[in-house]
Amino acid sequence: MPIKTYRQAINEAMAQEMRRDSSVIVIGEDVAGGAGCDGERDAYGGVMGVTKGLFPEFGESRVIDTPITESAIMGAAAGAAQTGLRPIAELMFMDFLGVCFDQIYNQAAKFRYMFGGKAQCPMVVRTMAGAGLRGGAQHSQNLTQMVTMVPGLKVVCPTNAYDAKGLLITAIRDNDCVIFVEDKFLYETSCDVPDEMYAISFGEANFLREGTDVTIVGISNTVNKALAVADRLAAEGISCDVIDPRTTSPLDEESIIESVEVTGRLVIVDEMTPRCGIAADISSIIAEKAFGALRAPITKVTAAHSPIPFAPALEDAWMPQESDIEAAVRAVLGYVR
Amino acid sequence: MPIKTYRQAINEAMAQEMRRDSSVIVIGEDVAGGAGCDGERDAYGGVMGVTKGLFPEFGESRVIDTPITESAIMGAAAGAAQTGLRPIAELMFMDFLGVCFDQIYNQAAKFRYMFGGKAQCPMVVRTMAGAGLRGGAQHSQNLTQMVTMVPGLKVVCPTNAYDAKGLLITAIRDNDCVIFVEDKFLYETSCDVPDEMYAISFGEANFLREGTDVTIVGISNTVNKALAVADRLAAEGISCDVIDPRTTSPLDEESIIESVEVTGRLVIVDEMTPRCGIAADISSIIAEKAFGALRAPITKVTAAHSPIPFAPALEDAWMPQESDIEAAVRAVLGYVR
Amino acid sequence: MSLDKKQFLQAYRTMRTIRDFEYRVSDEFGKGNIPGFLHLYAGQEAIATGMCMNLSDDDYIVSTHRGHGHCIAKGGDVGDMMKEIMAKQGGSCAGKGGSMHIAAVEKGMLGANAIVGGGPPLIVGAALSAKTLGTGSVGVSFTGDGGSNQGTTFEAMNLAVVLQVPAIFLFENNGYGEGTAAGYAVGSKDIASRAAAFGMPALKVDGADIFETYKTCKKAVDHCRSGKGPIAIEASITRFRGHFEGDAQQYRGKGEVKRLMKELDCLKIASDLGIKQKLATKAELKAIDAEVAVYIDEAATTALAASSPDVSELLTDVYSSAY
Amino acid sequence: MSLDKKQFLQAYRTMRTIRDFEYRVSDEFGKGNIPGFLHLYAGQEAIATGMCMNLSDDDYIVSTHRGHGHCIAKGGDVGDMMKEIMAKQGGSCAGKGGSMHIAAVEKGMLGANAIVGGGPPLIVGAALSAKTLGTGSVGVSFTGDGGSNQGTTFEAMNLAVVLQVPAIFLFENNGYGEGTAAGYAVGSKDIASRAAAFGMPALKVDGADIFETYKTCKKAVDHCRSGKGPIAIEASITRFRGHFEGDAQQYRGKGEVKRLMKELDCLKIASDLGIKQKLATKAELKAIDAEVAVYIDEAATTALAASSPDVSELLTDVYSSAY
Ligand SMILES: Cc1ncc(C[n+]2csc(CCOP(=O)(O)OP(=O)(O)O)c2C)c(N)n1
Ligand SMILES: Cc1ncc(C[n+]2csc(CCOP(=O)(O)OP(=O)(O)O)c2C)c(N)n1
Ligand SMILES: [Mg+2]
Ligand SMILES: [Mg+2]
């Protein structure tokens, strides 16, 4: 099978869906680049190059460069989705939710319900999240919790190239507003990705590693860190179940519960600030629905309760690291009531 | 002691602080009302009359009516707070966070940290939340979780007139950005409220009722419902500890832990959608820090995962009701592993 | 005149329907039959009517918190609307929306919007669909003078110009956003010229005159349909009622409402002009009035008798597929 | 000329400092000594300089992602800035901000802002403080052509007009927002006249000419200080570097950068005009160049040698008091 990067997989999913369905469009800032300029068009293909090549193939009526105007981008996508198009709207950095969130949580997410099932809003918001690139407080946030909490939205956070392609295809075909959160740390990572189109269902967790001692759930890139830790601990005879929910909304509660019923111990890792995050959310579900199986405190490994600092040493301390995950696993294993 | 409504208590806190400190200003839409009109000024005093009377006393330089422009209101407040004023900015309905959230979570909340401690942003965002008034999907939301998750913000949710006054005074004197969430269901409720100024510290929960069987934590008006349930259950010999955290950020974890260490059972009630809410957050803290004390699943009583429906029957079903709280309490009491 | 006899009678009927609908709804609200908040369109009827007469079901509109009139003018079912506002089964939005979210999606009325400034970005999208799919449709956003100051509205105008989509930004300047005068809140004191500075034509019209509003709206719709990009209209008008039902309107000048209700009554103006121009007789108009009265009464009576939505519907239609 | 000898030399020194700072920072970035993203102000020096020479420490500015120049012109400590950008102890923001959040709060530089359009609402607040407290200060927001299309910017302009606060909206039109031309993204093709339509005067200036920018900025500052409310300026200019360091700029025309770097080099223009007007000799300017070179080199060398912030600082200054 051909090896592709996360970036390529996402690009391919869009290109293939755009070929299949002429109502799919891409809209955002510099999704092509060069609009109105004397030089080349498609000069960016998205600030990270993820939409590169779509403009030459699909032209300016389907790959639409906009001004810097996130509310209008999201609103235009939502309005277009109500009226026959299937827009993929790019929110360059997830940090920018604050300048357009109304159009997402009060508009796109609510149309169907507010209008009694008579409207639908088949749009995808592709956005980029995650720390570690020294982007500072306003270019590094993962705000997956902020969209997961919104009824009406679906939220996808692919952790490898294979999933990215299959989940994005599902997202584009879905008739609801889907927030597709790309972890910017993963663009260069690669794995086997089929050339054909394939769809991965929402709400189905991926069991990355089977184990019996501790369940580790990771979100976005943290699941890869969790996997590395589990691999290392395996050498010591510690057996971890590593679960990637792949979508936080819908969330595959059952798979996590099933696992915890075996292991009795749960560590949840995300790269968000700790209050009201995904780790907290999953913890509360398990504390309610699988309490009887628990043999140790549910332990969250999250980022710190602070804005994201610029200095590498501080940012590294802010982010959950493999050593933090390892410590949490050892702690729950060592727990005695 | 004089009896005052929640509305009066909030109004009094503002008036007294404005008298004490001339740098305190109020800014928002129709906080006076009548700007540019031929009729009366102070015609509204806020859409719910909460700021009524401030304009006649303090004048237009300190009680500032604005256009409908929430981003500019929050930004202006944040900029003013950085430069010598102490603004109280009104966000009429909490639902409107989406049109101004950037100025709150990326700006006001982050200044101090991003600028290495050299800036401060002493502002209060007064806003109104809560369902039950048949306001529909865009005028009924309680989004306390959305601000609680943001490092740099403090979040206050007073549940009675006495607390409202004392907490607002603290908020106005605080040097950080404080989100003050008024529950619109409570404006007409009243209790004893001293005429003097008094400050209630943030991060100190209120023990509304002491009990030994179950701990109930409620946020905003749900704590009043919890209290009613606890009163009723007391007649049956069921003894509930009812805790009002009063501020969700900072959160008085210790008090909740202390209580759970006695009761071994926890029910958390909020009026938010269930995913990543305050109930989930508190549950996860207890599941991590007081696991050993738990004798039953931590049970959340929240609103449903849907936009807020308009029809009263549906909205009532959407909201957490006393009967839901009661059922949860009975369930945790009846739990056997 | 800009309207022929048939058109005039249709316009008159629509305006009368809106007016009667609003007053009935006001009554029912007073009797406690309507939950929640209520913002009435009474007085502004000629604007929605004048615009929507130029539109077909394939054209799109987005509306505001004050959306009943837009919905009726766009062909929304009055009976379903009445049910919706009374939170009943069979309501336009199955009882889940209410007054502030009234909609007739099947008629291209994409919804009232309780977020001021929520609509304009959406209409850019509807107009983008029209342009991309080549349907020849246009999109109209109704926005208030208050909403004209919201950042989302400005962004939408700029994006519409950049993308050259067939979008009409129709500003209904009724002088007030809640209790704040447009003359205060619109810094430029001129909504149309501010819109024009975004790079599109902007027209002004007396919103009380159905002949003028029809003509101006026609100009705008023709402009869009011929592929010339977006356009703006500022229609001046007054509110007959408070911002919401229950508003004491102390911010308005002494006698102002009474005076303006006389001077700017679009129904009165229409019937005077229509009769004078021999587009209708007094009797014909009276007959319409009578028919509309019955129609509205039936809608209200039926709605009052309808039952509330079943609680089992709480979690339906959050998503379009199993979740 | 608008500048006397002393002022001219000061302006030249500031511009040269910014230019050298930016190029040094670019070098250090290339060597891997600077983490994160870097947007350089090279080429635009006359604008920040021309404006800030009209301001005192009691006046306020807010900036963009491209903020080094504004910070230097407003008096920010160059050594501390270098440390900040290199993420070192003693940096202007204690290493917590970085290039995109460079600030000199004590000098009235309230911070760079990595959210496009983040600054304009803030400056309305700073200007409101000035007005309310009667300090006589003014507030200036530096915004790009790209940022001129953001809803927050429009809202800020309207609110400033409504409240009549001493705010200056200075738009630096360098022709691009990332890889999109201003001529495409600004629907009206004219930032100044669009700002004027919000109800304030708007001036245009050649941003490569320090004499002109100084004069125009002076006019704007005088306008504000005399209590006449807000005002806008559009200064046209070019970017010498890519949007960020590492940008290949394929969207720019062939030879465009080279040509514009020649035509619009504010330092070249300043030295030519200054010498011609006898405000300085070649030797004087060379001496400044030499001094600045040493100054920047010292700043960089010191910063390179400084240590990283201690991990114990991770949770300090999230709040102003115990949390
Ligand atoms: C974002 C937002 N801000 C504030 C409000 C509260 N609000 C509802 S209607 C209204 C006034 C709107 O004025 P205008 O746009 O002129 O419309 P009109 O009521 O006159 O029809 C306000 C402030 C809101 N619904 N949404
Ligand atoms: C809200 C927001 N949207 C998009 C971006 C990404 N971005 C950063 S700078 C920039 C271009 C800004 O252009 P302009 O305002 O002209 O400033 P210039 O870079 O030319 O100085 C963009 C799109 C951002 N930082 N914030
Ligand atoms: Mg109005
Ligand atoms: Mg630019």
Side-chain angles (χ1 to χ4, degrees), chain B residues 29 68 70 92 96 99 139, chain C residues 65-66 114-116 144-147 150 174 176-178 239 243:
Chain B
E29 295 159 15
I68 303 169
E70 284 81 5
M92 197 186 290
F96 308 161
V99 292
H139 274 65
Chain C
H65 56 289
R66 199 177 298 289
I115 301 297
V116 171
D145 47 284
Q150 191 66 289
N174 63 10
Y176 299 92
E178 281 189 11
R239 264 205 257 115
H243 169 61

PDB file of all heavy atoms in Angstrom, chain B residues 29 68 70 92 96 99 139, chain C residues 65-66 114-116 144-147 150 174 176-178 239 243, ligand 1:
ATOM      1  N   GLU B  29     -24.996  47.442  25.713  1.00  0.00           N
ATOM      2  CA  GLU B  29     -26.154  47.832  24.902  1.00  0.00           C
ATOM      3  C   GLU B  29     -27.332  48.179  25.808  1.00  0.00           C
ATOM      4  O   GLU B  29     -27.763  47.347  26.608  1.00  0.00           O
ATOM      5  CB  GLU B  29     -26.529  46.677  23.967  1.00  0.00           C
ATOM      6  CG  GLU B  29     -25.429  46.407  22.946  1.00  0.00           C
ATOM      7  CD  GLU B  29     -25.484  45.008  22.345  1.00  0.00           C
ATOM      8  OE1 GLU B  29     -26.518  44.334  22.480  1.00  0.00           O
ATOM      9  OE2 GLU B  29     -24.470  44.587  21.763  1.00  0.00           O
ATOM     10  N   ILE B  68     -24.926  47.818  18.761  1.00  0.00           N
ATOM     11  CA  ILE B  68     -24.910  46.353  18.896  1.00  0.00           C
ATOM     12  C   ILE B  68     -23.604  45.880  18.279  1.00  0.00           C
ATOM     13  O   ILE B  68     -23.470  45.778  17.063  1.00  0.00           O
ATOM     14  CB  ILE B  68     -26.120  45.732  18.190  1.00  0.00           C
ATOM     15  CG1 ILE B  68     -27.413  46.333  18.764  1.00  0.00           C
ATOM     16  CG2 ILE B  68     -26.117  44.211  18.359  1.00  0.00           C
ATOM     17  CD1 ILE B  68     -28.649  45.995  17.962  1.00  0.00           C
ATOM     18  N   GLU B  70     -20.786  43.522  20.004  1.00  0.00           N
ATOM     19  CA  GLU B  70     -20.216  42.859  21.177  1.00  0.00           C
ATOM     20  C   GLU B  70     -18.700  42.729  21.146  1.00  0.00           C
ATOM     21  O   GLU B  70     -18.039  42.832  22.182  1.00  0.00           O
ATOM     22  CB  GLU B  70     -20.858  41.482  21.382  1.00  0.00           C
ATOM     23  CG  GLU B  70     -22.262  41.513  21.965  1.00  0.00           C
ATOM     24  CD  GLU B  70     -23.350  41.803  20.938  1.00  0.00           C
ATOM     25  OE1 GLU B  70     -23.022  41.897  19.736  1.00  0.00           O
ATOM     26  OE2 GLU B  70     -24.531  41.943  21.315  1.00  0.00           O
ATOM     27  N   MET B  92     -25.339  41.036  26.945  1.00  0.00           N
ATOM     28  CA  MET B  92     -26.758  40.937  27.315  1.00  0.00           C
ATOM     29  C   MET B  92     -27.196  39.499  27.612  1.00  0.00           C
ATOM     30  O   MET B  92     -27.712  39.217  28.685  1.00  0.00           O
ATOM     31  CB  MET B  92     -27.607  41.539  26.199  1.00  0.00           C
ATOM     32  CG  MET B  92     -29.014  41.864  26.605  1.00  0.00           C
ATOM     33  SD  MET B  92     -29.970  42.402  25.163  1.00  0.00           S
ATOM     34  CE  MET B  92     -29.242  43.995  24.790  1.00  0.00           C
ATOM     35  N   PHE B  96     -24.557  35.147  23.403  1.00  0.00           N
ATOM     36  CA  PHE B  96     -23.871  35.994  22.423  1.00  0.00           C
ATOM     37  C   PHE B  96     -22.347  35.907  22.528  1.00  0.00           C
ATOM     38  O   PHE B  96     -21.644  36.633  21.829  1.00  0.00           O
ATOM     39  CB  PHE B  96     -24.296  37.466  22.562  1.00  0.00           C
ATOM     40  CG  PHE B  96     -25.783  37.703  22.546  1.00  0.00           C
ATOM     41  CD1 PHE B  96     -26.316  38.894  23.038  1.00  0.00           C
ATOM     42  CD2 PHE B  96     -26.674  36.760  22.048  1.00  0.00           C
ATOM     43  CE1 PHE B  96     -27.681  39.141  23.034  1.00  0.00           C
ATOM     44  CE2 PHE B  96     -28.053  36.990  22.050  1.00  0.00           C
ATOM     45  CZ  PHE B  96     -28.556  38.181  22.548  1.00  0.00           C
ATOM     46  N   VAL B  99     -20.164  35.938  19.284  1.00  0.00           N
ATOM     47  CA  VAL B  99     -19.800  37.098  18.459  1.00  0.00           C
ATOM     48  C   VAL B  99     -18.700  37.952  19.106  1.00  0.00           C
ATOM     49  O   VAL B  99     -18.352  39.003  18.560  1.00  0.00           O
ATOM     50  CB  VAL B  99     -21.020  37.987  18.084  1.00  0.00           C
ATOM     51  CG1 VAL B  99     -21.949  37.243  17.124  1.00  0.00           C
ATOM     52  CG2 VAL B  99     -21.780  38.465  19.302  1.00  0.00           C
ATOM     53  N   HIS B 139     -31.255  32.134  23.054  1.00  0.00           N
ATOM     54  CA  HIS B 139     -31.412  33.095  24.153  1.00  0.00           C
ATOM     55  C   HIS B 139     -31.612  32.401  25.491  1.00  0.00           C
ATOM     56  O   HIS B 139     -32.201  32.985  26.405  1.00  0.00           O
ATOM     57  CB  HIS B 139     -32.611  34.022  23.893  1.00  0.00           C
ATOM     58  CG  HIS B 139     -32.275  35.230  23.064  1.00  0.00           C
ATOM     59  ND1 HIS B 139     -31.880  35.152  21.757  1.00  0.00           N
ATOM     60  CD2 HIS B 139     -32.275  36.557  23.346  1.00  0.00           C
ATOM     61  CE1 HIS B 139     -31.668  36.364  21.272  1.00  0.00           C
ATOM     62  NE2 HIS B 139     -31.899  37.233  22.217  1.00  0.00           N
TER      63      HIS B 139
ATOM     64  N   HIS C  65     -34.707  38.610  14.430  1.00  0.00           N
ATOM     65  CA  HIS C  65     -35.599  38.307  15.554  1.00  0.00           C
ATOM     66  C   HIS C  65     -37.027  38.789  15.261  1.00  0.00           C
ATOM     67  O   HIS C  65     -37.953  38.397  15.933  1.00  0.00           O
ATOM     68  CB  HIS C  65     -35.063  38.994  16.794  1.00  0.00           C
ATOM     69  CG  HIS C  65     -34.899  40.479  16.585  1.00  0.00           C
ATOM     70  ND1 HIS C  65     -33.909  41.016  15.773  1.00  0.00           N
ATOM     71  CD2 HIS C  65     -35.626  41.526  17.022  1.00  0.00           C
ATOM     72  CE1 HIS C  65     -34.031  42.321  15.742  1.00  0.00           C
ATOM     73  NE2 HIS C  65     -35.058  42.664  16.485  1.00  0.00           N
ATOM     74  N   ARG C  66     -37.171  39.693  14.286  1.00  0.00           N
ATOM     75  CA  ARG C  66     -38.477  40.290  13.981  1.00  0.00           C
ATOM     76  C   ARG C  66     -38.953  39.690  12.650  1.00  0.00           C
ATOM     77  O   ARG C  66     -39.141  40.403  11.667  1.00  0.00           O
ATOM     78  CB  ARG C  66     -38.302  41.816  13.892  1.00  0.00           C
ATOM     79  CG  ARG C  66     -39.554  42.640  14.022  1.00  0.00           C
ATOM     80  CD  ARG C  66     -39.249  44.157  13.988  1.00  0.00           C
ATOM     81  NE  ARG C  66     -38.397  44.607  15.075  1.00  0.00           N
ATOM     82  CZ  ARG C  66     -38.777  44.692  16.348  1.00  0.00           C
ATOM     83  NH1 ARG C  66     -40.011  44.386  16.689  1.00  0.00           N
ATOM     84  NH2 ARG C  66     -37.930  45.094  17.270  1.00  0.00           N
ATOM     85  N   ALA C 114     -32.041  34.945  16.009  1.00  0.00           N
ATOM     86  CA  ALA C 114     -32.083  35.723  17.252  1.00  0.00           C
ATOM     87  C   ALA C 114     -30.739  36.325  17.609  1.00  0.00           C
ATOM     88  O   ALA C 114     -30.606  36.977  18.638  1.00  0.00           O
ATOM     89  CB  ALA C 114     -32.605  34.852  18.384  1.00  0.00           C
ATOM     90  N   ILE C 115     -29.769  36.110  16.746  1.00  0.00           N
ATOM     91  CA  ILE C 115     -28.468  36.757  16.936  1.00  0.00           C
ATOM     92  C   ILE C 115     -28.426  37.941  15.985  1.00  0.00           C
ATOM     93  O   ILE C 115     -28.467  37.755  14.755  1.00  0.00           O
ATOM     94  CB  ILE C 115     -27.322  35.784  16.627  1.00  0.00           C
ATOM     95  CG1 ILE C 115     -27.389  34.542  17.533  1.00  0.00           C
ATOM     96  CG2 ILE C 115     -25.965  36.483  16.756  1.00  0.00           C
ATOM     97  CD1 ILE C 115     -27.223  34.808  19.011  1.00  0.00           C
ATOM     98  N   VAL C 116     -28.351  39.141  16.525  1.00  0.00           N
ATOM     99  CA  VAL C 116     -28.320  40.319  15.661  1.00  0.00           C
ATOM    100  C   VAL C 116     -27.043  40.276  14.812  1.00  0.00           C
ATOM    101  O   VAL C 116     -25.941  40.146  15.345  1.00  0.00           O
ATOM    102  CB  VAL C 116     -28.379  41.613  16.495  1.00  0.00           C
ATOM    103  CG1 VAL C 116     -28.131  42.821  15.611  1.00  0.00           C
ATOM    104  CG2 VAL C 116     -29.737  41.728  17.187  1.00  0.00           C
ATOM    105  N   GLY C 144     -31.636  44.944  10.585  1.00  0.00           N
ATOM    106  CA  GLY C 144     -32.084  46.211  11.159  1.00  0.00           C
ATOM    107  C   GLY C 144     -31.002  47.271  11.153  1.00  0.00           C
ATOM    108  O   GLY C 144     -29.844  46.992  10.820  1.00  0.00           O
ATOM    109  N   ASP C 145     -31.371  48.479  11.518  1.00  0.00           N
ATOM    110  CA  ASP C 145     -30.383  49.538  11.681  1.00  0.00           C
ATOM    111  C   ASP C 145     -29.389  49.133  12.764  1.00  0.00           C
ATOM    112  O   ASP C 145     -28.188  49.358  12.631  1.00  0.00           O
ATOM    113  CB  ASP C 145     -31.052  50.860  12.047  1.00  0.00           C
ATOM    114  CG  ASP C 145     -32.070  50.702  13.168  1.00  0.00           C
ATOM    115  OD1 ASP C 145     -33.179  50.194  12.889  1.00  0.00           O
ATOM    116  OD2 ASP C 145     -31.772  51.055  14.320  1.00  0.00           O
ATOM    117  N   GLY C 146     -29.896  48.518  13.830  1.00  0.00           N
ATOM    118  CA  GLY C 146     -29.004  48.051  14.888  1.00  0.00           C
ATOM    119  C   GLY C 146     -28.044  47.002  14.360  1.00  0.00           C
ATOM    120  O   GLY C 146     -26.833  47.076  14.587  1.00  0.00           O
ATOM    121  N   GLY C 147     -28.575  46.054  13.633  1.00  0.00           N
ATOM    122  CA  GLY C 147     -27.756  44.971  13.080  1.00  0.00           C
ATOM    123  C   GLY C 147     -26.759  45.448  12.043  1.00  0.00           C
ATOM    124  O   GLY C 147     -25.787  44.752  11.745  1.00  0.00           O
ATOM    125  N   GLN C 150     -23.101  45.515  13.339  1.00  0.00           N
ATOM    126  CA  GLN C 150     -22.453  44.296  13.820  1.00  0.00           C
ATOM    127  C   GLN C 150     -21.335  43.897  12.852  1.00  0.00           C
ATOM    128  O   GLN C 150     -21.508  43.999  11.623  1.00  0.00           O
ATOM    129  CB  GLN C 150     -23.530  43.207  13.912  1.00  0.00           C
ATOM    130  CG  GLN C 150     -23.153  41.934  14.615  1.00  0.00           C
ATOM    131  CD  GLN C 150     -22.887  42.084  16.109  1.00  0.00           C
ATOM    132  OE1 GLN C 150     -21.873  42.663  16.494  1.00  0.00           O
ATOM    133  NE2 GLN C 150     -23.765  41.571  16.944  1.00  0.00           N
ATOM    134  N   ASN C 174     -35.647  51.286  11.188  1.00  0.00           N
ATOM    135  CA  ASN C 174     -36.857  51.718  11.893  1.00  0.00           C
ATOM    136  C   ASN C 174     -36.531  52.682  13.028  1.00  0.00           C
ATOM    137  O   ASN C 174     -37.349  52.929  13.911  1.00  0.00           O
ATOM    138  CB  ASN C 174     -37.673  50.507  12.385  1.00  0.00           C
ATOM    139  CG  ASN C 174     -36.888  49.671  13.398  1.00  0.00           C
ATOM    140  OD1 ASN C 174     -35.826  50.087  13.857  1.00  0.00           O
ATOM    141  ND2 ASN C 174     -37.423  48.510  13.727  1.00  0.00           N
ATOM    142  N   TYR C 176     -34.593  52.531  15.559  1.00  0.00           N
ATOM    143  CA  TYR C 176     -34.175  52.049  16.867  1.00  0.00           C
ATOM    144  C   TYR C 176     -33.610  50.640  16.819  1.00  0.00           C
ATOM    145  O   TYR C 176     -34.092  49.793  16.072  1.00  0.00           O
ATOM    146  CB  TYR C 176     -35.359  52.019  17.848  1.00  0.00           C
ATOM    147  CG  TYR C 176     -35.958  53.368  18.090  1.00  0.00           C
ATOM    148  CD1 TYR C 176     -37.026  53.809  17.320  1.00  0.00           C
ATOM    149  CD2 TYR C 176     -35.438  54.212  19.072  1.00  0.00           C
ATOM    150  CE1 TYR C 176     -37.570  55.067  17.525  1.00  0.00           C
ATOM    151  CE2 TYR C 176     -35.978  55.470  19.287  1.00  0.00           C
ATOM    152  CZ  TYR C 176     -37.046  55.895  18.511  1.00  0.00           C
ATOM    153  OH  TYR C 176     -37.567  57.136  18.715  1.00  0.00           O
ATOM    154  N   GLY C 177     -32.626  50.400  17.638  1.00  0.00           N
ATOM    155  CA  GLY C 177     -32.207  49.063  18.021  1.00  0.00           C
ATOM    156  C   GLY C 177     -32.516  48.985  19.500  1.00  0.00           C
ATOM    157  O   GLY C 177     -31.913  49.710  20.297  1.00  0.00           O
ATOM    158  N   GLU C 178     -33.505  48.194  19.868  1.00  0.00           N
ATOM    159  CA  GLU C 178     -34.045  48.244  21.227  1.00  0.00           C
ATOM    160  C   GLU C 178     -34.389  49.702  21.581  1.00  0.00           C
ATOM    161  O   GLU C 178     -35.224  50.311  20.896  1.00  0.00           O
ATOM    162  CB  GLU C 178     -33.077  47.648  22.260  1.00  0.00           C
ATOM    163  CG  GLU C 178     -33.111  46.137  22.273  1.00  0.00           C
ATOM    164  CD  GLU C 178     -32.334  45.552  23.441  1.00  0.00           C
ATOM    165  OE1 GLU C 178     -31.936  46.306  24.376  1.00  0.00           O
ATOM    166  OE2 GLU C 178     -32.124  44.346  23.423  1.00  0.00           O
ATOM    167  N   ARG C 239     -41.339  51.516  13.791  1.00  0.00           N
ATOM    168  CA  ARG C 239     -41.944  50.391  14.501  1.00  0.00           C
ATOM    169  C   ARG C 239     -43.260  50.852  15.097  1.00  0.00           C
ATOM    170  O   ARG C 239     -43.290  51.880  15.770  1.00  0.00           O
ATOM    171  CB  ARG C 239     -41.061  50.013  15.699  1.00  0.00           C
ATOM    172  CG  ARG C 239     -40.087  48.944  15.567  1.00  0.00           C
ATOM    173  CD  ARG C 239     -39.831  48.360  16.972  1.00  0.00           C
ATOM    174  NE  ARG C 239     -38.590  48.782  17.608  1.00  0.00           N
ATOM    175  CZ  ARG C 239     -38.520  49.500  18.707  1.00  0.00           C
ATOM    176  NH1 ARG C 239     -39.614  49.956  19.298  1.00  0.00           N
ATOM    177  NH2 ARG C 239     -37.362  49.793  19.236  1.00  0.00           N
ATOM    178  N   HIS C 243     -40.021  47.460  21.163  1.00  0.00           N
ATOM    179  CA  HIS C 243     -38.991  46.557  20.654  1.00  0.00           C
ATOM    180  C   HIS C 243     -39.486  45.118  20.778  1.00  0.00           C
ATOM    181  O   HIS C 243     -39.434  44.349  19.834  1.00  0.00           O
ATOM    182  CB  HIS C 243     -37.688  46.721  21.419  1.00  0.00           C
ATOM    183  CG  HIS C 243     -36.702  45.641  21.116  1.00  0.00           C
ATOM    184  ND1 HIS C 243     -36.208  45.438  19.861  1.00  0.00           N
ATOM    185  CD2 HIS C 243     -36.165  44.660  21.889  1.00  0.00           C
ATOM    186  CE1 HIS C 243     -35.396  44.391  19.866  1.00  0.00           C
ATOM    187  NE2 HIS C 243     -35.358  43.904  21.083  1.00  0.00           N
TER     188      HIS C 243
HETATM  189  C1  LIG E   1     -25.639  39.570  18.990  1.00  0.00           C
HETATM  190  C2  LIG E   1     -26.845  40.122  19.642  1.00  0.00           C
HETATM  191  N1  LIG E   1     -26.740  41.223  20.399  1.00  0.00           N
HETATM  192  C3  LIG E   1     -27.804  41.734  21.031  1.00  0.00           C
HETATM  193  C4  LIG E   1     -29.037  41.159  20.901  1.00  0.00           C
HETATM  194  C5  LIG E   1     -30.250  41.704  21.633  1.00  0.00           C
HETATM  195  N2  LIG E   1     -31.119  42.365  20.692  1.00  0.00           N
HETATM  196  C6  LIG E   1     -32.131  41.723  20.089  1.00  0.00           C
HETATM  197  S1  LIG E   1     -32.912  42.672  18.960  1.00  0.00           S
HETATM  198  C7  LIG E   1     -31.919  43.980  19.296  1.00  0.00           C
HETATM  199  C8  LIG E   1     -32.110  45.268  18.571  1.00  0.00           C
HETATM  200  C9  LIG E   1     -31.973  45.082  17.095  1.00  0.00           C
HETATM  201  O1  LIG E   1     -32.149  46.302  16.463  1.00  0.00           O
HETATM  202  P1  LIG E   1     -32.352  46.370  14.907  1.00  0.00           P
HETATM  203  O2  LIG E   1     -31.271  45.591  14.236  1.00  0.00           O
HETATM  204  O3  LIG E   1     -32.487  47.780  14.530  1.00  0.00           O
HETATM  205  O4  LIG E   1     -33.695  45.560  14.635  1.00  0.00           O
HETATM  206  P2  LIG E   1     -35.158  45.957  15.117  1.00  0.00           P
HETATM  207  O5  LIG E   1     -35.349  45.394  16.477  1.00  0.00           O
HETATM  208  O6  LIG E   1     -35.294  47.422  15.069  1.00  0.00           O
HETATM  209  O7  LIG E   1     -36.039  45.262  14.128  1.00  0.00           O
HETATM  210  C10 LIG E   1     -30.981  43.659  20.265  1.00  0.00           C
HETATM  211  C11 LIG E   1     -29.962  44.570  20.792  1.00  0.00           C
HETATM  212  C12 LIG E   1     -29.111  39.997  20.114  1.00  0.00           C
HETATM  213  N3  LIG E   1     -30.254  39.337  19.960  1.00  0.00           N
HETATM  214  N4  LIG E   1     -28.014  39.520  19.487  1.00  0.00           N
END
